[in-house]
Amino acid sequence: MKPWEKNIRRVTPYTPGEQPKDKNIIKLNTNENPYEPSPKVAEKYREIQDLRLYPDPKVEELIHALAVYHGLEDNQVFVGVGSDDVIAMSFLTFFNGELPVCFPDISYSFYDVWADLYKIPYTVKPLDEDFRIRVKDYEEKNGGVIFPNPNAPTGICENLEFVRQMLAENQDVVVIVDEAYIDFGGESALSLLDEYENLLVIRTFSKSRSLAGLRIGYAMGNSALIHALNAVKHSYNSYTMSRPAILLGVASVEDDAYFKETNRKIIETREWFSKELDRLGFTYPKSGANFVFATHKYLPAKEIFEKAKAAGIYVRYFDKPRIDNYLRITIGTKEQMEKLVKFLETLCTSVDGSVM
Ligand SMILES: *Cc1c(COP(=O)(O)O)cnc(C)c1O
């Protein structure tokens, strides 16, 4: 080993889902929205100019639109390049103590990557046998708490009372609720912001706003938390949000009717698809997200994953302890899900000659 090699930061990076080039694939592997973003976004896109100029480092326009939308003050909102950027900034800003930060063992698989990268001590808390988070695991002294609600990849959504208990038990540290999937029918922790000044709620435009390609995420919380996040951000890179992202993000927030309509369609398709899964011999925790986390009573998940892929349907398979017999299936359009159901029907029938 060369002397300079000793000082290189060693990390095991996050593994993103596949992004195949072939447009004919039914792509249900990375929780994108199957619908186009609001037509207002496309309209705005044609107007974009002035790319010569730096964007507004304070991102005032987008922050104001989000604050108005959620009934908050502008100084309670922080925006970043996808919620990945916002969560990474939050780890760097708030998890700066000696005690370990806590999060579930089965959860968004980026949390431990950031903790490792920033050398933040952490403890993972195993979900119970029904894949539920147990508040009592988070009662001992810690350096902070983060969990997604709904959780990923299980899809389980806990109610407001659960989040309130988690906060009640953790008042001395920052508690982050990652609400990447909350718009698909869950109860947001936003209403607890007045009560708990250590609460940070993080959202993304990638799932419910059909804008994964634009990269916008945001955090909401007490102005002191938002101030601290901005100080860290401006010590790193002031111009993270591009001019197009700011403009198009505002256009998306302003078209609430379209947003509600596409979310309603996803929820409806999810409920229909879940019933089909029952019929085909799958079980799954009830989903509050835009995906279903399913296991089959006979067919191994890995085999379904590989056969579906060969048939041009991509779903997500995690080769990890406890969840290696599950598939995370994103909810696409009704037509895409019908094709997947047909495929699964054929697969199940070929196993024992009848639909199980
Ligand atoms: C998708 C996802 C994110 C990241 O979303 P981006 O805004 O696209 O970076 C964060 N947390 C969870 C739980 C997610 O599923």
Side-chain angles (χ1 to χ4, degrees), residues 89 102 108 143 147 155 183 200 227 241 256 261 298 316 319:
M89 283 287 159
C102 302
Y108 189 39
F147 62 96
D183 297 315
L200 194 73
H227 184 82
M241 306 293 294
D256 201 40
E261 171 60 14
Y298 304 124
R316 191 83 193 260
D319 202 352

Side-chain angles (χ1 to χ4, degrees), residues 109-305:
S109 44
F110 225 136
Y111 298 156
D112 56 346
V113 176
W114 287 311
D116 284 332
L117 176 64
Y118 297 136
K119 303 193 159 89
I120 298 166
Y122 63 95
T123 317
V124 293
K125 304 290 182 181
L127 299 180
D128 73 11
E129 53 284 19
D130 299 322
F131 291 148
R132 304 289 290 269
I133 299 170
R134 291 177 289 217
V135 176
K136 71 170 173 54
D137 292 342
Y138 297 77
E139 287 173 4
E140 67 203 67
K141 254 194 155 345
N142 59 58
V145 172
I146 180 166
F147 62 96
N149 194 42
N151 196 7
T154 65
I156 296 174
C157 190
E158 300 294 349
N159 62 20
L160 200 57
E161 197 36 48
F162 170 93
V163 182
R164 191 195 295 279
Q165 275 175 30
M166 196 65 119
L167 283 156
E169 295 296 339
N170 290 281
Q171 304 201 30
D172 299 336
V173 292
V174 173
V175 175
I176 302 177
V177 186
D178 179 354
E179 294 192 336
Y181 302 101
I182 201 71
D183 297 315
F184 301 107
E187 212 177 349
S188 172
L190 270 186
S191 63
L192 301 175
L193 281 187
D194 286 340
E195 231 172 301
Y196 292 99
E197 42 186 45
N198 59 325
L199 166 64
L200 194 73
V201 176
I202 297 185
R203 299 267 184 98
T204 173
F205 280 43
S206 299
K207 280 72 183 233
S208 56
R209 291 192 175 275
S210 307
L211 286 170
L214 200 56
R215 311 305 299 132
I216 304 179
Y218 59 109
M220 294 170 283
N222 183 282
S223 60
L225 297 183
I226 300 304
H227 184 82
L229 272 172
N230 274 311
V232 170
K233 175 203 155 159
H234 290 285
S235 308
Y236 181 79
N237 178 356
S238 285
Y239 300 107
T240 56
M241 306 293 294
S242 70
R243 292 182 80 93
I246 297 170
L247 266 173
L248 302 180
V250 171
S252 168
V253 176
E254 286 175 349
D255 195 354
D256 201 40
Y258 184 86
F259 172 68
K260 297 238 161 79
E261 171 60 14
T262 47
N263 287 344
R264 187 195 60 74
K265 282 202 273 196
I266 302 269
I267 294 169
E268 196 176 285
T269 308
R270 177 187 72 206
E271 297 309 303
W272 170 82
F273 179 65
S274 299
K275 291 213 182 80
E276 291 296 294
L277 286 179
D278 294 338
R279 184 170 68 77
L280 293 165
F282 285 88
T283 53
Y284 51 85
K286 182 175 165 44
S287 171
N290 70 336
F291 57 84
V292 180
F293 194 56
T295 184
H296 192 266
K297 57 181 173 179
Y298 304 124
L299 290 170
K302 191 162 188 207
E303 186 184 323
I304 305 175
F305 165 74

